[in-house]
Amino acid sequence: MTHAMLKGSNVPLEASAVRAVLRWAPGQGVPDVDASALLLGGDGRVRSDEDFVFYNQPRHPGGKVWRLGKKRVAEGLTDTIQTDLAGLDPAVDRVLLAASAEGVSFEHVPALRILLFDAAVAEGEPLAYFDITPQTGEETALICGELYRRGEGWKFRALGEGYSNGLEGLASDFGISVDDSDSGAPEPAPTPSTYFPLPPQQPVPQHPQPSAAQPAPQTPPQPAYGYPPEPPRHPAPQPAYGYPPAAATQPAPMAPPPPVAQPSYGYPQPATPMPDPNFRLPPQGPQFLPR
């Protein structure tokens, strides 16, 4: 027998394992819908982030809750969560069954329904179903229902509670640490040190400080800005204004050679001796030597 449930109603479950099937009608402008589950302890919160089963973590580490994935059927599209109730850790008190439509409200999702099946029966009729109607039309995440312990057995309750801040807001309400990097915001550009590590910083050399017995050297005063620099303390002597500079010291000149004696002015020059006109050289003819 299939139970048609209203919001807030509950039904006992005799099955040891159930499939929670989320179904909706596809069409133009209809967002994609994802099913997820949260395993809660007695305090109503998850024990760790591992207790969140969703599209990025489709199977619980304990292996008793997992996501079967999406499928197209005659009535529309489905996404399914299966739970082994008999094998769940006793510390798990409830299993929340949720739906999310990222960035689009559920008022654009027609014919949203959750159906509960006995997992041991492949083609059986649903144990129960609940037609989910958003309350405000702005919900982007919904708690469709919950599986909870009652004595030695389990029950299913229809809820239909909505969140306008998406699956992140729903999960954080039950203790899940939501990573901000998954929010879709662009990451900042890395700095050069991200790719090339900086070299180790070298120690700055320490200059010795002057002791009290050894005074520090005095820096000569600098001329004021715009004035010529101070002349040297002992400048070279300069000639008085209007006088020629002192001549450079020259080496002593060499003594000139003694002049040649010249005749007195007005007297004739001494006559040059003339050759004797009667002087004759001996004949230079051939000489005949004796035989």
Side-chain angles (χ1 to χ4, degrees):
M1 177 181 177
T2 301
H3 296 273
M5 304 187 67
L6 299 176
K7 183 175 181 178
S9 62
N10 62 79
V11 60
L13 300 175
E14 296 180 359
S16 61
V18 294
R19 292 194 314 273
V21 179
L22 192 66
R23 191 179 73 193
W24 68 97
Q28 185 176 4
V30 177
D32 194 20
V33 179
D34 294 297
S36 56
L38 288 160
L39 284 67
L40 308 181
D43 58 353
R45 298 177 66 83
V46 297
R47 297 165 298 174
S48 70
D49 288 349
E50 294 179 343
D51 286 340
F52 187 23
V53 177
F54 67 119
Y55 47 83
N56 280 346
Q57 186 171 270
R59 191 177 187 89
H60 189 267
K64 303 304 178 181
V65 182
W66 65 95
R67 185 170 177 259
L68 295 177
K70 297 180 180 179
K71 184 187 298 185
R72 182 177 290 275
V73 296
E75 296 84 356
L77 295 175
T78 65
D79 197 5
T80 304
I81 298 287
Q82 183 160 323
T83 305
D84 181 2
L85 298 174
L88 277 176
D89 190 327
V92 177
D93 189 65
R94 287 189 294 162
V95 178
L96 293 185
L97 302 171
S100 60
E102 190 65 35
V104 181
S105 62
F106 271 97
E107 66 176 351
H108 301 289
V109 181
L112 185 62
R113 172 180 285 187
I114 186 169
L115 303 100
L116 211 62
F117 292 87
D118 186 344
V121 181
E123 300 294 335
E125 292 293 322
L127 304 175
Y129 69 87
F130 170 48
D131 291 328
I132 307 165
T133 303
Q135 298 299 308
T136 65
E138 298 180 358
E139 296 90 341
T140 53
L142 289 166
I143 300 177
C144 304
E146 65 175 352
L147 304 168
Y148 63 98
R149 293 183 186 271
R150 180 61 66 191
E152 298 297 326
W154 288 82
K155 284 189 173 184
F156 172 72
R157 177 183 289 121
L159 293 176
E161 298 175 358
Y163 286 77
S164 59
N165 51 355
L167 186 60
E168 292 84 356
L170 187 155
S172 62
D173 267 5
F174 294 94
I176 294 296
S177 302
V178 178
D179 188 358
D180 293 337
S181 63
D182 295 335
S183 60
E187 296 183 0
T191 59
S193 61
T194 306
Y195 301 105
F196 304 101
L198 297 176
Q201 185 177 4
Q202 299 296 329
V204 179
Q206 299 294 331
H207 298 284
Q209 299 295 330
S211 61
Q214 181 183 1
Q218 299 296 325
T219 304
Q222 300 295 326
Y225 178 76
Y227 290 88
E230 182 182 356
R233 305 227 175 226
H234 302 287
Q238 300 293 331
Y241 180 76
Y243 290 88
T249 304
Q250 300 292 335
M254 298 180 63
V260 180
Q262 300 291 334
S264 301
Y265 179 77
Y267 290 87
Q269 297 288 336
T272 302
M274 301 297 291
D276 186 1
N278 296 321
F279 179 78
R280 297 285 188 269
L281 292 173
Q284 297 293 330
Q287 299 180 5
F288 297 96
L289 299 176
R291 300 181 177 202

